[in-house]
């Protein structure tokens, strides 16, 4: 059978570029920048092409080593994976420009190599159709993220780094337990094969597969910062370099993606062994996340912490929509995922802007900073987006999520979403007026600072993305609806794997 | 045999969990390696265990053990080796930066 | 002009001032004004159609999936409000031009103002409830910016935050209400919802929807108990107060109640909720207004009171009452805006707004005086001004509304409003001229008083000839509200039989009496304890924030042990729950015997593990113990038919222990006790539970068979024929699942890269490198750093080890071995050199660049994979053949082997880079052991100095 080699490119291209940067470019920052940006641009182009191609075609399988599923590893390109890869490439490119524009990439060694490896891991995780391979690429993206997280060093950052690594190593171990259990019960690791086999599972094995499913869910919940497994996130996001936190905005989405993928494909609510169990767990987790996130935003003592908790809250909203496992729910979740990724990234970059002008990001009144008016405006826009206020996409996303929340617990879900929005609005209003208004009271002249046009442009691009999401919400949500429908009926996905045939 | 393996895995897991709940980097790291031992044996055993049937094709071998888990464990071992190396160095770095190897954020908490 | 364009114009206009301010304040104001004028013109062009009873619509699809569309619809009500918003907006722009000081950033002001204007126009033109929500929240945001315009004033910031909290919060409630409304009606278009009025009122969801929507309206229109935010919003510049807080924004809630009147009104719930809130608000507002000394505060509370009045009228739910409400909306907008602007003028001229410091201004500021008298008497409801007309009609309606308490309270409120209106006029302008004004006042230039004057003229015209100037507009607006044709008859004289007449007279008399008794009343008022709304609000918010901070601190205080405890407990608990709630049948596999030797090894493993837990404080000891555990594990692998695993485990074991040893060289050698016994017991309990569950799980798995045939059978069958290797595990690693291995070596490569980067940052000037420079080695040095035996042994071993490595590498495909193990073996051999002979000596002898090694390794692996593209095969499709090169015997070469080479290089490079990084730290710490290398021939090892 003829293969579409482009499917593997989003993994191989960054891998080669990372290795090449290590091999040849590590002593020349300028060269590293040029190649790295070029590679990300190429990645974006390929991703966009794949996205367009798959929008009008059934899922497509890429057999690595030409071994048939389920015996070898396959990549599966479908609307969802293409969407996530494109989002990743887009975010990576913009944030990379910021990192270059602010000189962050020069504050330590190997920034661009690690950046490319990070992309390799994320794209690999999105594209794979094999459960164990998903683990491997989780590890790739994790270890790259460890490197980026401690980029530039510093005491607090390293401490947070140790916690981040330790917590996620526990997650990885759990991942392996879960996979081993799944293999031990079903004798397979290919996702489509699992989807085909699990429904015929003998009743005597139900309990064990339920354990495996819960363990797997916990693994993804850690990635997706679902309460009570969110503890790694606040310190990590608050301490990581600005551009890195911004890129991490897509890392939580990897968790969300994995949940959407696995729990619609082979652990779907229709599965006799597990039924609604996972939906219920996600629902409860999402409610707790909304509550704690909102509280965290209101109670934050630094802009970094505020941004981090706002990101947590957005994951709560996202998972609330996912937990419905309905067409509206999933398409709302996907739209909201796009929105919250860009919005959170913008917020983290703005936080970094403030931080590098003030020296800290504590929510205390200090003298005005360079480019205060501009940065304040950008902050206002990002805050509006994160808080889900109009006119930006956050509001539409919130409406979609509310609209998707149906059934008996509607009152509960709505009051949590709206309640946490209220806390978030309060938190942002307090933070903004303290940082950007109160400083007029203290007066004084801001410390001189380069105007950094490239960095500002990067933030502008992210906000422009939000505007586009808002204006084009109609066609986008239609596209999402089709994607959701495909997720809820994975027969095409399974068929594409041509299980067991040469 | 099965019971012994289960006991061993359980014990290593328990020791691992106990150690990662300590307050210093070093025991936490040791705990994590204990967990990864437990985990490796767990994966390996998930293909059922049998003595004397290595998965190396040869004439007249009566049967072979399940090679898949072995391959998975190999991958897992290598990865956890890399991870251990990383966290060891980060712990060392954090120690050199702060002068102690406590794992809580302490005064650096946001 | 398209309604969408009209709604969009102000937003487009919001972009201009920021730029035009460069062209000067006049140009800026002129441009802003002309945009507003253009929009107003657009509305007026539609006026004939509307007054003729028609409607204008523009429909644009936006998010069909959500039922959100950019649908605009202009009817009578919309015309009235759009006219007010744009008309008064125009006057405000003019007024602000002369009001704002040179130091105020005017461009910013106009931008915010236009944003707000656009949002308001959007609200009144929307025909889609979700679209309306968008504009609704936008008014909250833009008013936040406008109230906080004077950023240096704490009152401004607090007022802005309070307004946003209250109105924004109400907006959130309204989102829910609107969504419910839409779901009941089955449509989100307002016209559709109005049409479905009966269904809505009949639905079980009617009451929740009503309450949620009213929450939005009451907060926005400052109805009791949410009235408290409005006076604090007066910290804004006066043009803002005049625009937002008298004419427009605070009327948004009123507008929405009027808009949805046909769908929601007419039920008892509506009557009691709306009338009740309105009545109380009217009363409280009027009472407080009388005792306020700040001109703007007085006007603010009078606004609250009048809004209450209008709300009450809408609450009555009768066609007539609704008509009066519409009429009073118009009148109130005219006289109240005029009064606010005049108050601004007084403030501007005298530099104070405190009535107690004013008085006798009538000769100094005759024009302002005239305006205030006209507008003020209208506010008091005296003829012949427009306020009188709507007031009379309002009293008429109230008089005929049961229960009796309504007319009574209305009368009291009316009395107070007469009183505060008179006080405003009398205490500011009448009386003797004073000489202690903070700034000697006189009438301002035309620019400043033109706007209020124009409004005053309107007050008079409508007052004198209502049927000419107002009735037409009132008819269509009221018609739009009630959904029926309205033909209003506005007259000045209702006849002696009308209760309204007597109530008015009573109100005027009572008002005069109150004013006469004012000093006495004021003493009572000041003596009486009152709830201070702002303090209460602040307390609530601050407690909330403090609470949140507390919770967040407690939860995310940075204690890893707690984090992991919660994680483990959650996982264990949910895992157990999932198991117990599912059906389980124990597997039937026969247990396998345990040879004694195995039992011994197992015993060692168990003892070793437990010992690790017990003596984990002695760190060196723990390293020995853990390597025993690792050793036993690998022995176990070997026994259980996994030679590859055994080899890998043991070599990884060695590398790990070396690494830990080198690190421990710096870390403390013991772990102090830092947890109390109860916590340790708790931890033990959790650990035991976890261990039990995992053990139980693997036991359950071990004793059962696969539910379906394992995919591994395929690998066993095809490893030789298709994979070209007899060592199935290795074939899986480099071929069947070579892609995993590709990821795996990348992980190793990244790990080493990371470690190198980390080392670099540690060695940079900073606390870490200082600590290293002044390093005191706390361990007892060994007598001989380079035992001759070890040196010799390792030197001898090196070539052997290298040979072994290559051998293992080559045989890997068919018998245990492979690139990974080979890489580790060679790496360890080299590390031995470091340990035995010291860094200097070894480094001097081998100059391999480890970064290059890693990069090359990954590239080789990737290239091997890509190679198969040229054969038209997918990534990593392997190929192999048999070759014969004399004198070697026939051997097999597979592309898989090339891939394995990549593995080999990466592993070697990674391990060496990691360890050499550690060594660099050691050098910085001045550790002799690594620098002055012992050497048998020469002493060049010292070159590192």
């Amino acid at each position: 059978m003829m293969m579409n080699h482009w499917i593997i490119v989003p993994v191989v291209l960054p891998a080669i570029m990372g290795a090449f940067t290590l091999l040849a470019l590590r002593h020349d920052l300028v060269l590293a920048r040029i190649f790295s940006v070029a590679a990300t641009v190429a990645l974006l182009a390929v991703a966009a092409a794949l996205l367009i191609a798959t929008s009008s075609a059934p899922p497509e399988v890429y057999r690595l080593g030409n071994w048939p599923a389920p015996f070898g590893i396959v990549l599966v390109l479908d609307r969802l994976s293409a969407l996530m890869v494109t989002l990743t490439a887009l975010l990576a490119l913009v944030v990379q420009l910021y990192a270059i524009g602010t000189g962050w990439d020069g504050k330590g060694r190997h920034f661009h190599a690690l950046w490319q490896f990070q992309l390799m891991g994320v794209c690999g995780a999105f594209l794979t159709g094999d459960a164990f391979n998903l683990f491997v690429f989780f590890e790739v993206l994790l270890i790259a993220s460890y490197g980026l997280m401690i980029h530039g060093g510093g005491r607090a950052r390293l401490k947070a780094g140790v916690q981040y690594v330790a917590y996620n190593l526990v997650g990885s171990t759990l991942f392996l337990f879960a996979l081993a259990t799944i293999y031990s019960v079903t004798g397979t690791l290919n996702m489509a094969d699992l989807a085909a086999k699990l429904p015929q599972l003998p009743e005597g094995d139900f309990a064990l597969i339920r354990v495996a499913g819960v363990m797997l869910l916990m693994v993804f919940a850690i990635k997706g910062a679902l309460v009570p497994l969110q503890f790694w996130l606040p310190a990590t996001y608050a301490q990581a370099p600005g551009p890195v936190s911004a890129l991490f905005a897509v890392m939580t989405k990897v968790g969300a993606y994995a949940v959407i993928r696995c729990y619609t494909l082979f652990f779907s609510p229709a599965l006799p062994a597990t039924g609604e169990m996972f939906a219920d767990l996600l629902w409860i987790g999402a409610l707790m996340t909304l509550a704690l996130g909102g509280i965290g935003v209101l109670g934050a003592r630094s802009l970094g912490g505020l941004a981090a908790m706002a990101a947590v809250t957005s994951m709560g909203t996202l998972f609330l929509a996912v937990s419905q496992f309905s067409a509206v729910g999933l398409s709302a979740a996907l739209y909201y995922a796009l929105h919250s990724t860009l919005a959170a990234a913008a917020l983290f970059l703005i936080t970094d802007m403030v931080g590098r002008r003030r020296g800290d990001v504590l929510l205390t009144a200090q003298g005005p900073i360079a480019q205060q008016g501009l940065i304040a405006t950008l902050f206002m826009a990002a805050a509006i987006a994160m808080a889900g206020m109009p006119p930006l996409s956050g509001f539409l996303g919130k409406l979609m999520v509310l609209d998707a929340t149906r059934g008996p617990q509607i009152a509960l879900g709505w009051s949590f979403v709206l309640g946490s929005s209220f806390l978030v609005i309060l938190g942002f209003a307090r933070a903004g007026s303290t940082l950007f208004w109160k400083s007029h009271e203290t007066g004084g002249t801001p410390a001189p600072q380069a105007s950094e046009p490239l960095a500002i442009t990067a933030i502008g691009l992210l906000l422009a993305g939000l505007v586009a999401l808002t204006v084009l919400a109609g066609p986008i949500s239609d596209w999402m609806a089709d994607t959701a429908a495909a997720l809820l009926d994975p027969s095409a996905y399974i068929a594409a794997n041509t299980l067991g045939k040469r | 045999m099965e019971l012994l393996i289960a006991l061993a895995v359980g014990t290593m897991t328990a020791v691992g969990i106990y150690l990662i709940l300590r307050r210093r980097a070093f025991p936490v790291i040791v705990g994590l390696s204990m967990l990864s031992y437990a985990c490796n044996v767990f994966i390996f055993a998930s293909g059922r265990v049998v003595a004397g049937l290595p998965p190396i094709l040869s004439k007249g071998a009566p049967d072979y053990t399940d090679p898949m888990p072995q391959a998975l464990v190999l991958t897992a071992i290598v990865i956890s080796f890399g991870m251990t190396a990383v966290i060891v160095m980060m712990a060392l770095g954090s120690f050199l930066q702060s002068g102690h190897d406590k794992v809580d954020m302490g005064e650096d908490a946001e | 002009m398209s309604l969408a364009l009209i709604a969009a114009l102000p937003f487009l206009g919001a972009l201009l001032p920021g730029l035009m301010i460069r062209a000067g304040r006049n140009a800026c104001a002129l441009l802003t004004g002309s945009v507003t004028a253009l929009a107003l013109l657009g509305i007026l062009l539609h006026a004939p159609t509307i007054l003729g009873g028609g409607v204008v619509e523009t429909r644009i699809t936006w998010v069909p999936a959500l039922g959100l569309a950019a649908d605009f619809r202009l009817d009578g009500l919309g015309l009235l409000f759009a006219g007010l918003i744009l008309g008064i907006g125009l006057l405000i722009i003019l007024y602000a031009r002369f009001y704002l000081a040179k130091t105020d950033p005017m461009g910013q002001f106009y931008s915010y103002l236009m944003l707000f204007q656009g949002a308001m126009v959007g609200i009144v033109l929307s025909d889609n409830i979700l679209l309306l929500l968008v504009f609704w929240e936008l008014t909250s945001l833009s008013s936040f910016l406008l109230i906080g315009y004077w950023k240096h004033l704490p009152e401004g910031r607090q007022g802005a935050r309070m307004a946003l909290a209250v109105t924004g919060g109400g907006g959130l409630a309204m989102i829910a209400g609107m969504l419910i409304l839409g779901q009941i009606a089955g449509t989100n278009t307002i016209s559709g919802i109005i049409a479905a009025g009966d269904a809505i009122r009949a639905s079980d969801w009617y009451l929740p929807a009503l309450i949620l929507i009213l929450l939005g309206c009451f907060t926005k229109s400052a109805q009791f108990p949410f009235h408290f935010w409005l006076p604090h919003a007066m910290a804004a510049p006066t043009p803002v107060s005049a625009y937002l807080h008298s004419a427009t924004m605070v009327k948004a809630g009123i507008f929405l109640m009027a808009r949805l009147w046909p769908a929601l009104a007419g039920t008892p719930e509506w009557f009691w909720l709306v009338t009740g809130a309105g009545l109380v608000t009217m009363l409280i507002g009027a009472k407080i207004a009388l005792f306020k000394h700040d001109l703007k505060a007085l006007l603010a509370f009078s606004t609250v009171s009048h809004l209450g009045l209008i709300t009450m009228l809408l609450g009555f739910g009768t066609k007539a009452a609704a008509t009066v409400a519409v009429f009073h909306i118009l009148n109130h907008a005219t006289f109240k805006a005029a009064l606010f602007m005049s108050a601004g003028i007084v403030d501007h001229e005298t530099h104070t707004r405190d009535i107690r410091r004013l008085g006798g201004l009538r000769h100094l500021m005759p024009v302002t005086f005239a305006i205030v008298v006209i507008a003020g008497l209208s506010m008091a409801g005296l003829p012949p001004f427009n306020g009188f007309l709507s007031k009379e009609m309002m009293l008429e309606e109230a008089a005929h509304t049961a229960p009796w308490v309504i007319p009574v309270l209305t009368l009291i409120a009316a009395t107070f409003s007469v009183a505060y209106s008179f006080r405003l006029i009398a205490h500011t302008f009448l009386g003797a001229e004073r000489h202690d004004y903070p700034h000697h006042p006189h009438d301002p230039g035309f620019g400043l008083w033109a706007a209020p004057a124009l409004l005053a003229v309107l007050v008079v015209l409508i007052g004198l000839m209502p049927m000419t100037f107002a009735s037409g507009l009132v008819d269509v607006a009221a018609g739009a509200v009630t959904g029926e044709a309205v033909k209003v008859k506005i007259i000045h004289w209702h006849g002696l039989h009308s209760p309204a007449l007597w109530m008015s007279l009573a109100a005027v008399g009572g008002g005069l009496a109150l004013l006469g008794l004012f000093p006495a009343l004021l003493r009572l008022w000041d003596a009486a304890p009152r709830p201070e709304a702002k303090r209460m609000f602040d307390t609530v918010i601050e407690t909330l924030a403090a609470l949140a901070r507390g919770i967040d601190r407690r939860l995310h205080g940075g204690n890893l042990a707690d984090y992991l405890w919660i994680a483990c407990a959650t996982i264990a608990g949910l895992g157990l729950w999932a198991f117990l709630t599912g059906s389980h049948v124990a597997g039937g596999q026969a247990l396998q015997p345990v040879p004694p030797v195995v039992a011994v090894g197992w015993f060692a493993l168990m003892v070793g593990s437990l010992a690790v837990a017990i003596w984990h404080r002695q760190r060196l000891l723990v390293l020995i113990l853990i390597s025993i555990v690792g050793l036993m594990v690998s022995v176990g692998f070997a026994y259980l038919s996994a030679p590859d695993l055994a080899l890998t485990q043991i070599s990884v074991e060695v590398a790990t222990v070396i690494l830990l040893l080198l690190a421990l060289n710096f870390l403390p050698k013991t772990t102090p006790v830092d947890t109390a016994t109860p916590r340790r017991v708790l931890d033990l309990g959790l650990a035991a539970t976890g261990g039990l569950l995992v053990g139980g799980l693997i036991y359950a798995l071990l004793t059962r068979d696969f539910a379906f045939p394992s995919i591994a059978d395929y690998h066993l069958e095809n490893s030789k024929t298709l994979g070209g290797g007899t060592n199935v595990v290795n074939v899986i690693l480099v071929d069947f699942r070579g892609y995993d291995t590709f990821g795996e070596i990348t992980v190793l490569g990244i790990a080493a890269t990371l470690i190198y980067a980390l080392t670099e940052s540690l060695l940079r000037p900073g606390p870490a490198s200082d600590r290293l420079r002044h390093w005191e080695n706390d361990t007892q040095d060994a007598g001989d750093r380079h035992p001759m035996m070890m040196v010799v042994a390792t030197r001898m071993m090196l070539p052997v080890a290298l040979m072994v490595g290559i051998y293992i590498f080559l045989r890997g495909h068919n018998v245990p071995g492979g690139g990974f193990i080979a890489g580790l073996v060679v790496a360890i051999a080299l590390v031995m050199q470091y340990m035995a002979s010291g860094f200097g000596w070894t480094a001097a002898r081998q100059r391999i660049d480890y970064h290059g090694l890693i990069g090359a390794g990954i590239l080789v692996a990737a290239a091997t994979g890509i190679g198969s593209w040229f054969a038209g095969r997918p990534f990593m499709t392997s190929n192999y053949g048999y070759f014969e090169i004399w004198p070697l015997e026939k051997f097999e070469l597979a592309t898989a082997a090339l891939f394995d080479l990549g593995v080999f290089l990466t592993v070697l490079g990674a391990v060496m880079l990691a360890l050499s990084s550690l060594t660099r730290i050691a050098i910085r710490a001045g550790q002799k052991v690594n620098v002055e290398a012992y050497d048998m021939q020469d002493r060049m090892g010292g070159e590192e100095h």
Side-chain angles (χ1 to χ4, degrees), chain B residues 1-38 40-59 63-106 108-110, chain C residues 557-561 564-565 590-594 598 602 605-606 609-610 612-613 616 619 622-623 626 629-630 633 637 639-645 648-649 652-653 655-656 659-660 663-664 666-668 671-672 674-675 679-680 683-684 686-687 690-691 694-695 697-699 701-702 704-706 710-712 715-716 719-720 725-729 732-733 737 744 748 751 754-755 758-759 762 767-768 771-772 775 814 816 820 911 918 921:
Chain B
M1 176 65 74
E2 283 77 3
L3 194 60
L4 296 195
I5 293 176
L7 280 171
V9 171
T11 313
M12 290 191 284
T13 313
V15 172
I17 294 179
Y18 180 71
L19 289 185
I20 60 170
L21 295 177
R22 301 303 95 208
R23 303 297 202 274
R24 304 285 169 150
F26 192 81
V28 170
I29 294 170
V30 173
L32 287 167
S33 358
M34 284 304 283
L35 275 183
S36 74
Y37 287 149
N40 294 337
V41 178
F42 188 100
I43 306 170
F44 172 70
S46 73
R48 321 297 183 268
V49 293
V50 43
L53 299 175
I56 294 166
L57 305 179
S58 62
K59 303 272 176 301
D63 190 6
Y64 304 105
T65 184
D66 186 337
M68 177 59 80
Q70 296 193 19
L72 302 186
V73 175
L74 277 171
T75 310
I77 290 180
V78 178
I79 288 177
S80 67
F81 168 60
M83 295 290 174
T84 315
V86 164
I87 194 172
V88 166
M89 285 305 292
M90 284 173 70
L92 177 56
S94 147
F95 170 75
L96 291 175
Q97 289 273 6
S98 58
H100 62 75
D101 72 337
K102 293 206 183 78
V103 286
D104 54 6
M105 290 298 286
D108 295 311
E110 175 272 323
Chain C
N559 185 343
L560 181 66
L564 289 175
W565 208 98
L591 300 187
Q592 300 180 43
V594 181
V598 174
W602 175 81
L605 174 65
M606 297 295 279
S609 313
L610 293 172
V612 167
H616 73 271
R619 297 182 168 185
V622 156
L623 277 189
I626 199 170
V629 175
V633 169
F637 284 149
Y639 171 76
L640 296 167
S641 348
D644 280 278
L645 277 189
T648 316
Q649 177 74 52
V652 165
E653 186 61 35
T656 314
L659 190 80
L660 282 167
L664 197 51
F666 296 96
L667 294 170
T671 307
D674 14 39
T675 40
R679 177 57 186 261
R680 286 209 297 285
D683 295 349
L684 266 176
L686 181 60
V694 173
L697 180 58
I698 192 60
Y699 184 76
L701 293 171
L702 271 168
R704 71 204 298 108
D705 203 350
F706 290 107
S710 160
I711 52 173
H715 302 124
L716 287 166
S719 168
K720 183 93 181 87
T726 53
N727 178 359
V728 185
V729 173
I732 293 177
L733 280 177
R737 297 187 69 91
E744 158 200 326
L748 268 193
L754 186 167
I755 290 173
L758 173 57
T759 313
L762 288 177
R771 196 168 272 106
L772 282 172
W775 187 263
N814 294 314
F820 179 78
V911 176
L918 253 169
I921 294 184

Side-chain angles (χ1 to χ4, degrees), chain A residues 3 5 8 11-12 16 19 22-23 26 62-68 70-73 75 107 109-110 114 117 120 130 132-133 136-137 140 143-144 146-147 150 158 163 166-167 170 174 177 181 183-188 197 201-208 210-211 214-215 218 228-231 234 277 281 292 295 299 301 309 384 389-391 395-396 398-400 402-403 406 414 418 422 426 429-430 433 437-438 440-441 470-471 473-474 477 502, chain C residues 62-66 68 133-134 137-138 141 144-145 148 151-152 154 157 160-161 164-165 169 172 175-176 179-180 183 541-542 544-545 548-549 551-553 555-556 558 560 563-564 566-567 570-571 574-575 577-579 581-585 694 697 700-701 704 706-712 714-715 722 735-737 739-740 742-744 746-747 750-751 753-754 756-758 760 762 764 849 851-852 854-855 858-859 862 866 869 873-877:
Chain A
M3 289 277 180
H5 295 305
I8 186 84
V11 182
V12 174
I16 291 177
L22 274 186
L23 182 61
R26 64 176 182 282
Y62 189 79
R63 295 175 164 184
L64 288 148
N66 206 18
W67 296 110
F71 313 115
I73 299 172
L75 303 188
K107 290 210 172 88
R109 299 297 305 275
H110 294 322
L114 288 168
F117 284 129
M120 171 200 179
D130 182 281
F132 189 82
N133 188 247
V136 171
F137 277 87
V140 174
I143 197 156
Y146 303 156
I150 58 167
L158 269 173
Q163 293 199 342
Y167 200 93
V170 174
L174 183 64
F177 280 133
T181 312
Y183 176 76
S184 187
V185 172
T186 64
T188 187
K197 282 180 176 161
L201 195 71
E203 192 135 357
D205 292 331
F206 279 14
L208 290 172
R210 287 167 67 87
V211 176
V214 165
M215 291 197 289
M218 295 299 124
L229 300 173
Q230 85 296 357
F231 289 101
M277 169 166 74
L281 290 178
L292 275 193
I295 290 173
R301 275 154 285 148
M309 292 316 286
I384 287 173
M389 299 275 279
F395 184 70
L396 300 182
K398 198 194 316 181
L399 283 183
M400 291 181 192
L402 290 171
D403 182 54
R406 303 274 171 83
W414 282 16
L418 296 171
F422 183 63
L426 283 185
R430 291 165 62 85
S433 70
W437 284 358
K438 211 157 183 229
H440 289 262
E441 205 175 45
T470 316
V471 176
S477 60
R502 276 311 282 166
Chain C
W62 187 2
V63 195
L66 201 53
L68 167 58
L133 281 175
V134 171
E137 296 285 48
L138 270 179
L141 286 171
F144 173 74
L145 293 171
K151 303 175 176 59
H152 54 278
R157 299 195 298 266
R161 286 215 303 271
L164 182 67
L172 289 170
I175 293 177
L179 284 173
I180 297 175
Q183 296 206 347
I541 294 295
E542 286 315 316
L544 210 58
R549 184 168 293 114
I551 295 174
D552 193 41
R553 246 212 171 87
L555 277 179
H556 300 121
L560 181 66
Y563 296 173
L564 289 175
I566 294 172
T570 312
I571 296 159
L574 288 179
W577 168 75
F579 183 85
T581 48
S583 60
H584 176 68
V585 177
V694 173
L697 180 58
L701 293 171
R704 71 204 298 108
F706 290 107
F708 313 102
S710 160
I711 52 173
Y714 178 92
H715 302 124
L722 301 176
D735 200 341
F736 290 113
R737 297 187 69 91
Y739 184 60
D740 276 348
F742 181 57
E744 158 200 326
T746 318
V747 168
I750 300 170
T753 317
L754 186 167
Y756 177 81
L758 173 57
E760 286 281 313
L762 288 177
R764 264 190 275 119
D849 170 16
H851 289 92
I854 297 170
I858 297 176
L859 283 179
I866 293 172
W869 285 352
R873 298 300 198 67
F875 191 68
M876 288 194 154
T877 309

Side-chain angles (χ1 to χ4, degrees), chain A residues 286-362:
Chain A
L287 291 185
M288 292 196 292
T289 312
L290 280 165
L292 275 193
I295 290 173
V297 169
L298 183 58
R301 275 154 285 148
S302 85
L303 193 52
L306 179 127
M309 292 316 286
V312 171
T313 319
S314 72
M315 291 313 289
T317 319
L318 178 52
F319 276 114
L320 194 75
V322 174
S323 73
Q324 300 300 307
F325 286 104
S326 63
V328 271
L330 288 175
S331 80
L334 292 178
Y335 180 89
Y336 194 83
L338 293 189
H339 153 78
S340 61
T341 307
L342 299 181
L347 190 57
F348 281 116
L349 294 188
I350 294 162
T351 307
D352 184 56
M353 277 270 170
V354 176
R356 281 178 309 102
R357 278 161 176 72
R358 280 183 22 155
D360 67 54
V361 288
L362 294 177

Side-chain angles (χ1 to χ4, degrees), chain C residues 436-548:
Chain C
D436 60 348
Y437 303 120
H439 177 269
H440 189 71
H442 53 73
D443 267 324
F446 172 76
L448 208 49
W449 62 257
L454 187 66
L455 288 168
V457 172
L458 275 177
V459 168
V460 177
L461 288 178
I462 298 176
L464 294 176
M465 288 165 285
M467 295 310 283
T468 324
F469 287 93
S471 64
L473 187 57
V474 172
D475 286 348
V476 285
V481 173
T482 56
E484 324 166 28
V486 174
K487 212 82 202 77
V488 70
K489 195 157 179 342
I490 310 171
I491 49 171
H492 298 84
W493 179 250
H494 295 263
L496 290 169
H497 62 285
S498 133
L501 172 64
W502 306 107
M503 287 169 89
S504 284
L505 290 174
V508 175
L512 287 167
L514 282 179
L515 192 56
L517 297 169
F518 183 74
L521 291 173
L522 184 60
R523 275 193 299 281
L524 283 177
W525 172 263
D526 291 338
R530 287 183 305 283
E532 174 51 54
K534 183 177 184 309
R535 203 181 302 112
M536 285 159 67
F537 177 83
D538 290 348
T539 335
V540 171
I541 294 295
E542 286 315 316
T543 349
L544 210 58
L547 199 66

